[in-house]
Amino acid sequence: MKIFYSPEYAVDSDLETVSKSRVIARMISEGQVPGVELAPSKPASRNELLQVHDAAYVDSVLSGSIGRLAAGDWSPELLRSILFSTGGMRDAVLEALQSGCAGCLASGQHHAKRNRGFALCTINGIALAAIEALKHVRSVGVLDLDAHFGGGTFAILGSDERVHLSDVSVEDLDHWTPTDLSRHHRVEIKEPAKYLPAVRRALKRLESVDFLIYYAGMDPHENAGGIPGITTPMLQKRDRIVAAWCRNKRMPVIFAPAGGYTEQMSLEELATLHLDTVRAFAEAR
Ligand SMILES: [Zn+2]
């Protein structure tokens, strides 16, 4: 199983969103998950970004005239990180269409709107991956299990009848309102005992799609930015549920790490949580 990652993804920053991929990649390169290999990605092009963002916004990001990006002050390194990791989402889609499954160590995607970044997310690689997949399949599902809602993904893809969105959050940030109940499912969970049943229901809403994009946040975790009672074993089980669902349905799938913060854990511990997502999919194959 290929996990897309290039050294350009990671920048030196206090923000886990742009730094944690290096630690996850190191763990993979050490062979901590059997059957998994890192693969470099090609950066996203301007034309690819224009599939999901307005030209004025894209050009201000590319040129640096925007000054500040959602994930920090503009710099050539931060721009490269965003372009390479977004390109990894496209490459993961193409790989999953061949092999059935791929990952990409890109974070900071689902809040970005057409004309602006928001909450650490500059470019919406989830939307870009969906558009890429839709060049090859009829319908795409987005399973967003970040702690926060994916309002950016909804803003870009919500009106596309080929796209089904299923979004389980534990915190009301970047809220969106379903406009088509046959394709839009959004729920906020406040009690940990209801989390895994909500994940199962969210998957059920995606049964008719041909391709799945899984945005695997670790920020629901009680020590990574989430709510008390959502624990490591619970999130390990969550990812095994998603991976088994994909395997049983022979659903091509890509996954990406999403949120997860070092509020009450080290960067190593956080990366280990994200590595569990990789492990769940590797073991389900
Ligand atoms: Zn989040």
Side-chain angles (χ1 to χ4, degrees):
M1 185 174 79
K2 284 186 181 172
I3 304 292
F4 287 89
Y5 171 79
S6 299
E8 289 86 354
Y9 284 27
V11 297
D12 295 320
S13 167
D14 295 338
L15 293 175
E16 302 87 339
T17 300
V18 291
S19 65
K20 65 188 174 186
S21 62
R22 182 182 292 155
V23 187
I24 307 168
R26 194 203 73 226
M27 292 172 170
I28 293 170
S29 69
E30 289 167 354
Q32 293 197 26
V33 185
V36 173
E37 58 174 348
L38 294 174
S41 59
K42 288 190 291 292
S45 68
R46 178 175 181 271
N47 278 343
E48 285 181 300
L49 302 182
L50 292 178
Q51 297 174 110
V52 290
H53 292 288
D54 293 344
Y57 176 60
V58 167
D59 289 334
S60 72
V61 169
L62 293 177
S63 70
S65 68
I66 192 168
R68 207 181 145 70
L69 299 172
D73 290 332
W74 191 95
S75 68
E77 293 75 26
L78 186 52
L79 176 64
R80 263 201 300 279
S81 161
I82 290 161
L83 295 180
F84 273 84
S85 59
T86 303
M89 295 297 287
R90 169 246 296 128
D91 285 341
V93 167
L94 297 176
E95 167 65 20
L97 287 165
Q98 298 290 322
S99 69
C101 183
C104 171
L105 300 184
S107 292
Q109 309 189 62
H110 70 157
H111 298 312
K113 317 284 191 278
R114 276 197 187 278
N115 62 351
R116 65 187 170 98
F118 177 57
L120 303 175
C121 302
T122 302
I123 296 295
N124 199 315
I126 300 291
L128 190 140
I131 297 293
E132 186 65 35
L134 286 167
K135 295 170 187 170
H136 306 271
V137 299
R138 279 174 307 181
S139 63
V140 168
V142 177
L143 178 67
D144 188 331
L145 300 185
D146 187 271
H148 310 101
F149 289 121
T153 308
F154 171 77
I156 297 170
L157 295 179
S159 62
D160 190 325
E161 297 197 342
R162 302 167 298 173
V163 179
H164 295 236
L165 304 176
S166 220
D167 193 343
V168 180
S169 91
V170 301
E171 192 181 331
D172 190 8
L173 177 86
D174 204 15
H175 181 106
W176 55 277
T177 303
T179 52
D180 180 346
L181 292 177
S182 72
R183 295 186 295 109
H184 297 156
H185 176 68
R186 182 189 62 83
V187 62
E188 182 181 356
I189 297 300
K190 283 294 175 201
E191 294 169 58
K194 294 185 174 169
Y195 187 65
L196 292 180
V199 167
R200 287 196 173 90
R201 279 198 301 278
L203 278 168
K204 233 178 158 28
R205 299 295 297 264
L206 299 174
E207 289 203 312
S208 68
V209 303
D210 301 324
F211 190 99
L212 185 70
I213 298 168
Y214 174 32
Y215 199 48
M218 285 299 156
D219 47 358
H221 191 288
E222 59 185 359
N223 296 327
I227 59 172
I230 295 190
T231 59
T232 300
M234 194 180 282
L235 291 178
Q236 288 171 335
K237 184 158 187 194
R238 178 195 74 177
D239 287 350
R240 287 198 299 269
I241 289 169
V242 177
W245 185 88
C246 293
R247 181 198 55 210
N248 293 339
K249 299 204 163 304
R250 298 176 184 273
M251 176 83 71
V253 56
I254 70 165
F255 58 88
Y261 304 95
T262 53
E263 293 187 3
Q264 294 171 73
M265 62 172 62
S266 68
L267 195 58
E268 290 278 317
E269 289 168 319
L270 176 62
T272 301
L273 285 181
H274 285 298
L275 198 66
D276 285 337
T277 307
V278 178
R279 187 173 284 111
F281 281 91
E283 289 179 353
R285 283 163 68 78

